[in-house]
Amino acid sequence: MIVPVEPQYGGGSLADVLPSVAGALSVPGEQNALGLPPSPRYAVLLLDGLGWNLLQRHADAAPYLASLLPTGRSLTAGVPSTTAVSLTSLGTGLPPGAHGIVGYTSIVPETGALLNALSWDAPVDPRRWQPHGTVFDRVAAAGVATRNVSKARFDSSGLTAAAFRGSAHRGADTIEDRLDATRFASREGSSSLVYVYDSQLDYTGHQQGSESWQWQKELAAADMFAQQVRSALPRDAVLLVVADHGMVDVAPEHRLDLDAEPALTDGLRLIGGESRFRHLYCLAGAEADVIATYRERLGDKALVLSREDAVARGWFGAVEDRVAPRLGDVVVAALGPVALVASRRYPPEAGLIGLHGSLTVDEMLIPLLVDAGR
């Protein structure tokens, strides 16, 4: 059986990046746990879906990023290893059990609705759902010019409010716009922090697979973009390149359709998470039967745990009382080449090739690459 990768909260995870940047920027009270080089200016480029193992396997397609590998290191994503969770850990410096965004979709306990944390499609106040201050709040309060460069439509999103409040958003929908915004923002004030987000690699992996020629072509484009971001920065700025998760490809014959097997929906009131990491919300008293059914059906292809057992393993970090009911009564973490789709409930997801969310090494390990310029 594949051994799951445990998240390294507190000194080796994505949640430790921005607190360490704040320390490197000399923000009072911040600890540079990752040992980043001191500098008055930092840019953090997040390439969605660029797993550590994927970059290593395809280094020839990314010469600039590959040149940073010898001095770089891997970090872990949080659990589940998915974008909404990871971006909120990045922005807040907290594990999911504290910030409360615990999956691509999760239950709103007060209403029983399902919240999609990327589209923010439930009437939930993001500042109450995620009440903690962000690292951006603290950095900006210290007088550092703090900017968030990403697509214009993200400016008003619930996820941006939850994860990145405290940073001034700069809408940039083209590569040229992102580079211009980065060039300007990185020179503001006497010190600056610029966060730049690019999603195209993840999109291509989902649609074509992370081992496809299309993905490698997109990696080459991401590599060029990263080098252009470096060139747009002042010479004394430090560029960090990170990711939110890796990716695995799952063939159609390895997709288990929950909606096609009544035994797999018996006892459930709601199915959340995503196909590599499911939150199963059970009817009262059904939890033990659901665990037994899924363990029998999946064998060593997945870990099937009660909420309490998953929390005890430290998957989500310390879990606050307000967050615990958002986790599935049962969680299913795929370890083998399997995806738990639900074709009737979530038809678009059922056709994706590249997937993520679970605790395998390909999904959990992400790069931390440092270019100190000069």
Side-chain angles (χ1 to χ4, degrees), residues 284-364:
E287 176 188 308
D289 287 340
V290 169
I291 290 174
T293 298
Y294 273 78
R295 284 179 176 170
E296 180 179 2
R297 182 68 175 82
L298 291 166
D300 62 3
K301 294 179 182 177
L303 273 175
V304 182
L305 302 177
S306 69
R307 174 193 296 156
E308 293 74 19
D309 286 346
V311 168
R313 288 182 179 227
W315 283 3
F316 313 104
V319 177
E320 297 182 4
D321 290 344
R322 67 183 179 84
V323 174
R326 302 176 190 175
L327 302 171
D329 299 295
V330 176
V331 298
V332 183
L335 297 180
V338 65
L340 278 66
V341 303
S343 61
R344 180 175 57 79
R345 291 172 173 83
Y346 314 117
E349 186 187 25
L352 300 180
I353 300 172
L355 301 169
H356 52 80
S358 195
L359 292 91
T360 67
V361 65
D362 282 345
E363 292 161 281
M364 283 289 287

Side-chain angles (χ1 to χ4, degrees), residues 21 24-26 36-42 191-192 236-238 372 374:
V21 169
L25 287 165
S26 300
L36 301 177
S39 175
R41 300 188 184 279
Y42 259 82
S191 62
S192 59
D236 64 344
V238 175
R374 298 183 174 86

Side-chain angles (χ1 to χ4, degrees), residues 124-180:
V124 175
D125 181 351
R127 291 165 182 80
R128 295 190 66 183
W129 191 257
Q130 196 301 97
H132 297 282
T134 69
V135 182
F136 294 108
D137 284 326
R138 304 197 297 271
V139 169
V144 178
T146 308
R147 305 291 180 254
N148 168 9
V149 178
S150 60
K151 292 180 180 179
R153 64 185 174 88
F154 294 157
D155 183 30
S156 58
S157 78
L159 182 60
T160 295
F164 299 126
R165 57 181 181 263
S167 62
H169 188 263
R170 296 285 184 264
D173 290 333
T174 67
I175 288 175
E176 292 76 14
D177 288 346
R178 282 177 212 146
L179 292 173
D180 285 345

Side-chain angles (χ1 to χ4, degrees), residues 199-215:
S199 63
Q200 195 59 35
L201 197 62
D202 178 74
Y203 176 80
T204 301
H206 281 309
Q207 301 299 322
Q208 306 295 336
S210 61
E211 299 296 340
S212 66
W213 68 263
Q214 294 97 329
W215 190 92

